[in-house]
Amino acid sequence: MSTGGRARGRARGRGKATASTPAPTPGEASRSAAATPQMDPQVAPGRGRTRGAATQPMVAAQLARPPAKPEAAQPPVQQMQRLQVGPQGAGGLDRGRRSRDHNVFQTRPEHVKDKQGKTGSVCQLVSNNFRLKTKGQWALYQYHVDFNPPVDSKRLRIALVKQQKEIIGATNAFDGMVLFLPIKLERTETVFTTQTKRGENIQITIKLTNELPPFSGVCLHMYNVIFRKVMGSLNMQQIGRHYFNPDNKIEVRQHKLEIWPGFITSISQRETHIMLEAEVSHKVLCLSTILDELYDLFHANRSSFKEQATKKLVGQIVLTKYNNKTYRVDDINWSLNPMSKFKKFDGSEISYVDYYAQVYERKITDLEQPLLVSRPKRREVRAGQQGPEVLHLIPEFCTVTGISDEVRSNFTVMKDLAQHTRVDPKNRAATLNRFLHSISKYV
């Protein structure tokens, strides 16, 4: 034990000696920092030596660093003078974001010139990526639209701009504030006056803010928006983020289910080409409504009916077939029914029975059923979308989407569904080819 104690004492002594060494001058610190540190092979570093060695370079580096000079504040006038309209963008300042190079998106190392192998046998493969061809060199032009006097209604703003086909052309995308055109207008700022149906004069100013190359992120987003419109032209219904064809639905009546075939699509850049990635997908829906499930739960156990219904339905994703939109069930309001009234946007009150009859031409049969509660999604709240704080749904018009855990555990049900949802490569390729042939009429 005495030998170990003396060794530890010597290690501490070396550590203290190292820590007490005077700091070098800035010139010596820069030279020592540039040299590669080497450890003495004859002396093992103890705790004290390690701690001192770690501290010394940090102190030297701080001494070697010259004091930073405060940068002169640049007036906004100089920044505004640097704004230009051109391929690099003209909408505003960089706002701290990195500038992106939209010319080529590299997906292989620079030293790799060819992806084809040199050995082995040739294997023919089919991919679900399809090249989208564009007409020569073109760009997407972004404009900001102002209205004087201001127009609060987004629908009216869109209608007023869409009417100006002689100025902006027939092909455009306008969300009420930002306008995208495939052509460049003659002037950087175009001003004209139009009238509403009430005879009110509105001055519209269209100002060029950006010129986007075909590979920019905004252009890729616009490609996907346009492609979704094409999917709608094929009578496909959007459920969630993807599109499905209700005309080709497959009913599995023995399990009270139906299958909607559809596609998952995405347009993105692959090196120097714009590619469409398409995949065959299916959406499983229940033939029975939420009201049917409430009936079953009520007859099974009346004493704990409300507790069982809340446990089973809250958290489910339901589809309203009158508009093919999906909602999450957050609660069940047992105090409301279809005869209850709610306020419309204009302030008037109307019952749910009359509302669905007037708007969707749907008749509610059970007037005592409770209403499902769905709250807006987080992304809708972040986006600032206006709408009711709580949305009430009619169980009679809602069906459950997807496959529940109870169904997944049923081998017979899953086997019957797999006969329609599991597609072999040959049929998958044939389905994608038919899909491309159908959209070629609209692209």
Side-chain angles (χ1 to χ4, degrees), residues 17-37:
T18 306
S20 60
T21 304
T25 62
E28 295 175 348
S30 59
R31 289 192 296 269
S32 62
T36 304

Side-chain angles (χ1 to χ4, degrees), residues 219-362:
C219 282
L220 294 177
H221 173 69
M222 292 303 303
Y223 297 153
N224 285 279
V225 171
I226 295 173
F227 197 80
R228 284 197 292 267
K229 293 183 178 180
V230 174
M231 301 282 278
S233 301
L234 297 175
N235 295 326
M236 302 188 72
Q237 301 293 333
Q238 183 178 7
I239 301 179
R241 296 184 178 182
H242 309 303
Y243 282 80
F244 302 89
N245 193 344
D247 298 333
N248 297 333
K249 63 183 178 182
I250 304 170
E251 294 186 355
V252 189
R253 289 197 169 273
Q254 65 271 26
H255 305 300
K256 296 181 179 180
L257 298 173
E258 65 180 10
I259 303 172
W260 287 17
F263 300 93
I264 300 175
T265 60
S266 176
I267 298 178
S268 57
Q269 181 184 351
R270 294 291 185 268
E271 295 180 357
T272 59
H273 302 297
I274 303 297
M275 306 292 289
L276 166 66
E277 182 178 358
E279 176 65 350
V280 177
S281 181
H282 298 85
K283 175 64 68 174
V284 179
L285 304 174
C286 291
L287 289 175
S288 59
T289 65
I290 297 296
L291 183 60
D292 296 330
E293 295 192 16
L294 290 175
Y295 287 156
D296 295 338
L297 292 174
F298 180 77
H299 294 303
N301 192 345
R302 297 189 179 185
S303 59
S304 60
F305 161 63
K306 292 184 179 181
E307 292 79 4
Q308 293 296 326
T310 302
K311 182 179 179 180
K312 184 175 183 180
L313 297 180
V314 171
Q316 295 276 9
I317 304 298
V318 298
L319 172 73
T320 51
K321 288 194 172 182
Y322 50 83
N323 59 1
N324 286 317
K325 290 186 177 181
T326 56
Y327 303 90
R328 184 184 186 274
V329 179
D330 297 307
D331 199 358
I332 302 177
N333 194 327
W334 301 97
S335 61
L336 297 180
N337 57 54
M339 295 300 296
S340 303
K341 294 185 178 181
F342 68 95
K343 283 188 177 181
K344 299 169 64 177
F345 287 105
D346 58 1
S348 60
E349 291 189 352
I350 188 173
S351 65
Y352 290 95
V353 175
D354 297 335
Y355 176 79
Y356 280 91
Q358 295 177 10
V359 178
Y360 298 107
E361 298 182 353
R362 298 268 180 159

Side-chain angles (χ1 to χ4, degrees), residues 140-179:
L140 185 66
Y141 299 93
Q142 178 178 342
Y143 297 86
H144 180 76
V145 183
D146 286 323
F147 298 85
N148 188 22
V151 179
D152 296 332
S153 174
K154 177 181 177 180
R155 182 177 298 180
L156 179 57
R157 294 198 301 268
I158 294 176
L160 292 175
V161 173
K162 293 287 186 180
Q163 293 174 358
Q164 312 302 322
K165 292 184 179 180
E166 296 181 357
I167 299 177
I168 64 175
T171 304
N172 58 77
F174 183 55
D175 63 356
M177 183 177 296
V178 180
L179 174 67

